[in-house]
Amino acid sequence: MASILRFRKLCYVEPCSSLKFQSFETPKIENRDEGGVGSKTENLLEKKQRKNKNKKQHREWRCIDSCCWVIGYMCTTCWVLMFLYHSLPATLTGFPVPESPGTRLKAEGLTPLHPVVLVPGIVTGGLELWEGRPCAEGLFRKRLWGGGFTEIFKRPLCWLEHLSLNNETGLDPPGIRVRAVPGLVAADYFAPGYFVWAVLIENLAKIGYEGKNMHMAAYDWRLSFQNTEIRDQALTRLKSKIELMYVTNGHKKVVVVPHSMGVIYFLHFMKWVESPPPMGGGGGPSWCAKHIKAIMNIGPAFLGVPKAVSNIFSAEGKDVAYIRAMDPGVLDSEILRLQTLEHVMRASRTWDSIVSLLPKGGDAIWGNLDWSPEDGHSCDLAKKGYLQTSGDTNFNNRDENRVFQVKEPVKYGRIISFGKETSQISSPQLPRHDFKDLPHKDSATNFTSSCGEVWTEYDELSRESIRKITENKAYTAQTLFDLLRFVAPKMMQRAEAHFSHGIADNLDDPKYAHYKYWSNPLETKLPVAPDMEIYSLYGVGIPTERSYVYKMSPSDKCKSIPFRIDGSADGEAGSCLKNGVYFVDGDDSVPVLSAGLMCAKGWRGRTRFNPSGIATYIREYQHKPPASLLEGRGIESGAHVDIMGNVALIEDVLRVSAGATGAQIGGDRIYSDIMRMSERINLQL
């Protein structure tokens, strides 16, 4: 409880207005006459009586009491559940535990063949402190991220300060060094009991894998990809590790298993390792063909995710919108004043990696004001059809009878719309965007002088500019970059030196030799490695964020975020709009469009993005929630992180690691509309 009270005290911007602290004054001593002894005795008796009376009176209920009771109930519930979890036997009568894929495949005779390299994604890798400020005393080499997260409650502002990077360089702030935790423990569990890679690692171990042929390529996920090499030599160490595993395992090629943002991180690595120094690793044009057997991308964010837009714009997502819809005042209470989202924005806008996840390809991929590849998408995901193609990667066997029903027109191309009506009206009714006419600062209305310290870049915007941004305007994947450059100029200027989000006209143009293009599959070529295979493994059947309805924040206070998702914006029953968020099919984080398009079209066959015709496979996993609490997070989940425990996915990874090809494990397996969407996209191949 002491930690909770410290957390409250540190997070408050100003003390709770309803709490009044009594002032303790020194009692005045009055001159008494000679008979003052009796008067003193009477005064003491009166004080004692008043004291006893005050004790009997019921103490006034305050806001802090309610907070402590709520937190107490939550903690007690967690403790009880943890006690039951550790007390119950591993198996209960009548509830048989299904055999793990590793155990079953070992019985079939599967043994390790190819070394395996695991590449974690954003936020799932642990970070530890190597040097810090005085407030971080006693935390040397202790985890600040990925672990118990106890420091959030003990010293939250200190914790955020140490997780933030330098806003100018995107590297370490002076006097602070936070580094990635090395080894398999870096990302096996995100928090106690919450697995990420642990289940897959365990199943690999059951068929014989161990430290000599399995490696976790941990890196600092906050940095831009090239900065992981500049500061930590992470790419060089990964190159050396793959070469060592190749030599010490009988010259067997490596199977690489990246997850989420780790997918585009490894895409950057493949271009880096074959590029000449000093910008590249100097491995030569045949390095990937020599060392890599297959890349099994799990939950790949190849073309970005719309939720990265809302993160940068307002530090929000569907979860925050849902909380506001349920209780609009919980995050904006005048009593609490935690300003959690402002603190999150202040730290996350120093992380260049978030910009790598912004939508790539512009309007040609994500749609414009009137069109999107998901046009006709049904939000009733239970009615989706099933498609399985043969192992020869032929994807022309489509279900022509599939029916798409839409209750109301959805214009998914408008990733940000201010107002529900704006997200639906025809494009001629929308005003044009012209950020050149908007003043970035206005001395008459600039709040930085009255607010003191600038918390976010919104404090540097004039109120007039903020108001004009919202006037019945919608922003697509193309125009939202102008919007983000206006509201977050420092972050975008710094990060766009490391990332690009367009489509290349001519991939032979020398400018694409720069590292800023290497993580964008639409602006770089795959290596010349005709024997290599690329898999896209992802879940489907879960509503996933695609676009947002925004509004102005009701508060005009200093140090506040002026925009928020409109949680009151809902569609009709069965609509794709809920709590201000439009949903499409995906894995809860990455839409199908981003996860599957490159393997469905961009890299399918011999194209300008895939000059050697590397074989590509799509393996989708239909989401099935756990049947009971005993299944934990589910063994058939398609959710972005929970899919790492999906038995079908684990079996696919184990079989390929043991030597199987994509054709041998069944080729493409498709449940979603990715093939239909890919046909609607005009992408020069």
Side-chain angles (χ1 to χ4, degrees):
M1 186 58 68
S3 299
I4 294 171
L5 292 176
R6 282 195 294 270
F7 172 76
R8 173 182 174 273
K9 179 179 178 182
L10 287 171
C11 281
Y12 280 9
V13 176
E14 53 188 88
C16 176
S17 59
S18 66
L19 299 180
K20 303 296 184 180
F21 294 92
Q22 295 179 352
S23 60
F24 294 88
E25 299 179 357
T26 304
K28 296 180 180 180
I29 302 176
E30 299 179 0
N31 293 329
R32 302 289 184 182
D33 54 10
E34 292 181 356
V37 176
S39 300
K40 289 181 180 179
T41 304
E42 293 177 358
N43 289 337
L44 290 173
L45 290 173
E46 290 177 1
K47 289 180 180 178
K48 187 175 181 180
Q49 291 175 353
R50 285 197 300 269
K51 185 176 181 181
N52 292 333
K53 185 177 180 181
N54 290 336
K55 285 183 178 179
K56 294 179 181 179
Q57 290 179 348
H58 189 275
R59 184 170 59 87
E60 181 183 358
W61 192 264
R62 299 175 298 172
C63 62
I64 187 60
D65 299 317
S66 300
C67 296
C68 291
W69 272 103
V70 171
I71 295 174
Y73 281 128
M74 294 171 62
C75 292
T76 302
T77 303
C78 291
W79 289 331
V80 170
L81 292 175
M82 288 295 292
F83 173 77
L84 292 175
Y85 175 80
H86 290 288
S87 299
L88 290 173
T91 59
L92 296 177
T93 304
F95 295 95
V97 176
E99 189 177 34
S100 69
T103 302
R104 178 167 48 82
L105 294 176
K106 181 180 180 181
E108 293 180 11
L110 247 67
T111 57
L113 182 62
H114 297 279
V116 174
V117 173
L118 312 175
V119 185
I122 192 170
V123 310
T124 55
L127 301 174
E128 61 185 15
L129 181 69
W130 280 81
E131 180 184 2
R133 302 280 167 78
C135 66
E137 185 69 27
L139 296 181
F140 175 68
R141 292 205 63 203
K142 291 187 178 180
R143 290 199 180 197
L144 296 185
W145 186 269
F149 292 96
T150 56
E151 299 307 320
I152 300 179
F153 298 100
K154 291 182 179 178
R155 30 191 155 185
L157 297 185
C158 179
W159 176 78
L160 276 174
E161 179 185 12
H162 285 75
L163 283 180
S164 301
L165 295 169
N166 186 289
N167 205 26
E168 301 294 333
T169 65
L171 296 170
D172 294 324
I176 293 177
R177 281 186 296 148
V178 175
R179 298 292 182 264
V181 175
L184 294 175
V185 297
D188 54 353
Y189 289 91
F190 178 67
Y194 190 90
F195 72 83
V196 182
W197 292 90
V199 177
L200 179 58
I201 292 172
E202 181 181 359
N203 279 274
L204 284 166
K206 286 181 178 179
I207 66 169
Y209 278 92
E210 52 186 313
K212 67 180 181 181
N213 53 10
M214 181 167 49
H215 171 68
M216 179 75 73
Y219 61 97
D220 190 338
W221 46 262
R222 302 171 300 161
L223 301 174
S224 70
F225 303 156
Q226 193 69 8
N227 275 345
T228 64
E229 170 65 16
I230 293 172
R231 194 195 72 178
D232 301 332
Q233 292 74 54
L235 301 178
T236 297
R237 289 187 286 111
L238 178 56
K239 173 177 178 282
S240 299
K241 186 64 177 181
I242 291 176
E243 291 171 342
L244 177 63
M245 296 174 76
Y246 171 78
V247 172
T248 58
N249 287 275
H251 292 85
K252 297 296 182 183
K253 297 180 182 180
V254 170
V255 171
V256 183
V257 189
H259 175 244
S260 189
M261 189 187 75
V263 168
I264 55 176
Y265 180 76
F266 193 76
L267 189 65
H268 178 100
F269 168 81
M270 287 196 295
K271 199 67 179 178
W272 172 88
V273 75
E274 294 190 342
S275 299
M279 190 178 296
S286 62
W287 190 94
C288 291
K290 178 181 178 181
H291 294 92
I292 301 176
K293 188 259 185 187
I295 308 171
M296 307 195 74
N297 303 290
I298 302 176
F302 282 125
L303 301 178
V305 290
K307 67 190 308 180
V309 177
S310 63
N311 182 285
I312 296 174
F313 193 58
S314 61
E316 288 180 294
K318 65 174 183 180
D319 298 325
V320 173
Y322 178 76
I323 292 173
R324 279 206 170 111
M326 295 296 292
D327 187 352
V330 69
L331 292 175
D332 311 293
S333 172
E334 292 294 331
I335 298 176
L336 296 178
R337 288 192 177 90
L338 296 180
Q339 293 197 279
T340 305
L341 298 182
E342 284 79 3
H343 283 293
V344 169
M345 175 177 285
R346 189 180 187 186
S348 62
R349 280 197 177 181
T350 67
W351 302 342
D352 290 343
S353 58
I354 295 180
V355 176
S356 75
L357 293 172
L358 289 174
K360 300 179 179 70
D363 294 357
I365 302 296
W366 294 91
N368 54 31
L369 294 174
D370 296 311
W371 167 88
S372 72
E374 295 96 339
D375 283 351
H377 165 71
S378 171
C379 289
D380 186 358
L381 299 179
K383 295 182 180 180
K384 290 292 180 186
Y386 170 75
L387 170 65
Q388 171 136 18
T389 63
S390 60
D392 61 0
T393 71
N394 175 21
F395 61 94
N396 293 320
N397 185 23
R398 300 185 309 275
D399 180 6
E400 300 291 350
N401 298 320
R402 185 170 298 177
V403 178
F404 300 91
Q405 297 177 350
V406 182
K407 301 249 178 169
E408 59 185 43
V410 179
K411 303 183 186 303
Y412 290 113
R414 305 177 186 187
I415 295 181
I416 288 182
S417 301
F418 283 95
K420 179 181 175 181
E421 183 182 358
T422 304
S423 69
Q424 299 171 345
I425 61 177
S426 61
S427 58
Q429 297 177 262
L430 295 171
R432 297 177 58 188
H433 310 94
D434 194 353
F435 289 97
K436 295 180 181 179
D437 296 337
L438 295 181
H440 199 270
K441 287 188 178 182
D442 186 345
S443 58
T445 58
N446 187 24
F447 278 55
T448 56
S449 59
S450 60
C451 291
E453 182 186 8
V454 175
W455 278 25
T456 69
E457 291 180 275
Y458 282 123
D459 295 322
E460 298 180 341
L461 291 179
S462 70
R463 301 294 104 174
E464 177 66 14
S465 298
I466 291 173
R467 184 184 61 81
K468 287 187 176 181
I469 287 174
T470 66
E471 290 179 346
N472 298 321
K473 293 184 178 179
Y475 300 87
T476 66
Q478 197 76 35
T479 57
L480 69 83
F481 279 90
D482 292 329
L483 173 65
L484 295 179
R485 292 183 190 110
F486 186 77
V487 300
K490 292 180 181 178
M491 178 185 190
M492 295 301 291
Q493 181 180 4
R494 183 187 68 245
E496 285 189 304
H498 291 266
F499 300 107
S500 180
H501 301 81
I503 301 178
D505 294 326
N506 178 14
L507 286 169
D508 294 324
D509 191 321
K511 77 174 185 178
Y512 292 109
H514 192 273
Y515 61 77
K516 68 180 289 185
Y517 302 101
W518 292 349
S519 62
N520 183 356
L522 298 173
E523 292 182 306
T524 190
K525 296 179 183 179
L526 290 177
V528 178
D531 296 330
M532 192 166 75
E533 296 178 327
I534 296 180
Y535 297 78
S536 188
L537 317 173
Y538 56 90
V540 296
I542 305 178
T544 303
E545 296 167 63
R546 178 61 166 85
S547 56
Y548 305 89
V549 176
Y550 268 86
K551 67 177 182 179
M552 281 281 289
S553 297
S555 173
D556 197 33
K557 299 181 300 182
C558 299
K559 301 177 182 177
S560 65
I561 300 173
F563 310 114
R564 67 173 55 172
I565 296 173
D566 186 359
S568 64
D570 284 306
E572 301 174 358
S575 169
C576 298
L577 175 62
K578 185 176 182 180
N579 299 138
V581 181
Y582 283 101
F583 293 94
V584 293
D585 194 6
D587 68 358
D588 193 46
S589 291
V590 183
V592 166
L593 175 65
S594 177
L597 180 64
M598 292 310 298
C599 284
K601 184 169 186 174
W603 292 333
R604 186 59 62 111
R606 194 182 297 269
T607 69
R608 66 189 184 109
F609 305 108
N610 182 11
S612 64
I614 296 173
T616 61
Y617 300 93
I618 296 176
R619 302 282 289 176
E620 295 183 344
Y621 305 87
Q622 183 70 48
H623 174 69
K624 292 183 181 179
S628 67
L629 292 175
L630 296 177
E631 282 192 18
R633 286 151 61 192
I635 58 176
E636 296 181 90
S637 174
H640 188 63
V641 176
D642 295 353
I643 197 175
M644 307 286 275
N646 185 298
V647 293
L649 179 140
I650 293 173
E651 180 174 342
D652 287 345
V653 173
L654 266 58
R655 289 192 180 278
V656 172
S657 301
T661 64
Q664 290 171 339
I665 66 171
D668 294 329
R669 182 179 60 208
I670 300 175
Y671 296 89
S672 71
D673 305 324
I674 183 60
M675 292 305 180
R676 172 183 169 274
M677 287 189 282
S678 66
E679 292 175 351
R680 293 173 59 86
I681 294 175
N682 183 18
L683 180 63
Q684 179 187 350
L685 299 177

